[in-house]
Amino acid sequence: MTTGEPLIVLDGVNKWFGPLHVLDDVSLSVGRGEVVVVIGPSGSGKSTLCRTINRLEPINSGTITFDGTPLPAEGKALAKLRSEVGMVFQSFNLFAHKTILENVTLGPVKVRREKPAAARERGLALLDRVGIANQADKYPAQLSGGQQQRAAIARALAMQPKAMLFDEPTSALDPEMVGEVLEVMTSLARDGMTMVVVTHEMGFARHAANRVVFMADGQLVEEAPPTEFFANPRSERAKDFLSKILTH
Ligand SMILES: Nc1ncnc2c1ncn2[C@@H]1O[C@H](COP(=O)(O)OP(=O)(O)OP(=O)(O)O)[C@@H](O)[C@H]1O
Ligand SMILES: [Mg+2]
């Protein structure tokens, strides 16, 4: 479900780490409500691409706009951007000394100045949405990996983001917990959230993505709707990559 003008636009983006050209003239546009899955070999720049979108990584040249505005470099505008672009990482990054509900309400109360009671009510609703309302008063260490990752998703959603970035959100999970996290992500996608998802879960890419983007050596090599990409990858690098991950 993609409508109107794009929400995220990268145009001619270059990023170096010293001599290493990690993003090489990357241009990518993500529509509102669109789900873009980014795949590619290790070291191809997928995480860096994600991190540039909420400016965890500054870029060397090119432009990135979010919701029509170039990414701010600092200050309040940057804090606002970070709240509008939720990010979920491989490691859950929950605050260990706060309960699950406190993890979810902290941002809304401190950053968005929501009233604690309102934030709590919304937080509980979000925990319910990701299926862990009954874990609200526990601490992160008392939850399974899958539950912690769902809490991390609820925490990001609590800021009422316009887009969500996921960087290998299921890679650190035991296999039996991957499904419950992908289910939450699939339902978010169905509800119209704009999402950029780095993942090796090709089932998710097939079913939930509007578009698959294949990266190699910092370049965006190929992009296509999932059915087209998986049935008929055009580049040798994509063919080679798919043959490796789909057969293991
Ligand atoms: N902070 C950094 N300083 C220097 N080099 C970095 C830094 N972060 C990443 N790199 C390098 O940039 C390249 C791209 O890294 P990135 O993490 O974006 O790749 P990736 O596609 O996410 O890989 P993976 O699939 O292993 O997560 C790699 O060669 C990596 O070693
Ligand atoms: Mg990565």
Side-chain angles (χ1 to χ4, degrees):
M1 184 181 44
T2 303
T3 51
E5 65 184 44
L7 184 61
I8 304 166
V9 182
L10 291 86
D11 189 18
V13 168
N14 285 286
K15 165 87 187 168
W16 280 268
F17 283 121
L20 197 64
H21 200 176
V22 283
L23 294 179
D24 182 354
D25 196 26
V26 170
S27 296
L28 174 70
S29 163
V30 182
R32 287 167 204 280
E34 190 179 17
V35 178
V36 172
V37 164
V38 181
I39 65 174
S42 180
S44 57
K46 305 178 301 293
S47 294
T48 307
L49 176 76
C50 262
R51 293 163 59 83
T52 62
I53 296 174
N54 63 359
R55 219 169 188 286
L56 286 173
E57 292 289 355
I59 58 177
N60 295 105
S61 67
T63 57
I64 304 179
T65 61
F66 182 76
D67 207 6
T69 314
L71 294 195
E74 55 188 19
K76 276 192 179 160
L78 180 59
K80 180 164 179 278
L81 173 82
R82 297 254 168 90
S83 71
E84 288 180 341
V85 184
M87 184 148 185
V88 175
F89 303 89
Q90 183 174 333
S91 52
F92 323 123
N93 295 114
L94 296 167
F95 299 112
H97 306 296
K98 304 223 174 270
T99 67
I100 296 302
L101 182 59
E102 285 165 352
N103 265 277
V104 172
T105 55
L106 193 67
V109 172
K110 294 258 184 243
V111 180
R112 296 179 61 98
R113 308 245 173 257
E114 270 181 43
K115 294 225 166 69
R120 188 183 154 82
E121 192 174 326
R122 233 163 40 74
L124 282 169
L126 282 167
L127 290 178
D128 188 46
R129 181 173 176 190
V130 301
I132 52 168
N134 54 351
Q135 311 293 326
D137 298 324
K138 290 193 185 162
Y139 287 86
Q142 298 174 291
L143 269 60
S144 72
Q147 291 170 330
Q148 287 186 56
Q149 193 60 304
R150 287 185 281 153
I153 294 172
R155 184 177 61 175
L157 291 175
M159 299 300 275
Q160 302 185 310
K162 292 178 180 166
M164 289 279 286
L165 310 173
F166 292 87
D167 189 1
E168 301 203 27
T170 59
S171 298
L173 297 177
D174 291 337
E176 73 269 23
M177 291 167 194
V178 169
E180 65 199 43
V181 173
L182 291 178
E183 242 173 67
V184 168
M185 292 167 60
T186 303
S187 104
L188 258 186
R190 285 210 195 98
D191 289 348
M193 178 60 78
T194 305
M195 295 165 55
V196 175
V197 183
V198 179
T199 185
H200 297 294
E201 294 294 332
M202 294 302 123
F204 177 82
R206 280 176 197 278
H207 296 119
N210 298 105
R211 196 153 37 116
V212 174
V213 164
F214 176 72
M215 285 187 78
D217 291 334
Q219 296 178 337
L220 205 157
V221 176
E222 190 165 338
E223 52 176 312
T227 40
E228 189 181 321
F229 178 78
F230 289 113
N232 196 13
R234 294 185 301 271
S235 63
E236 282 310 314
R237 306 206 56 167
K239 282 179 198 167
D240 182 52
F241 178 77
L242 284 179
S243 72
K244 282 179 185 142
I245 62 161
L246 296 177
T247 53
H248 78 197

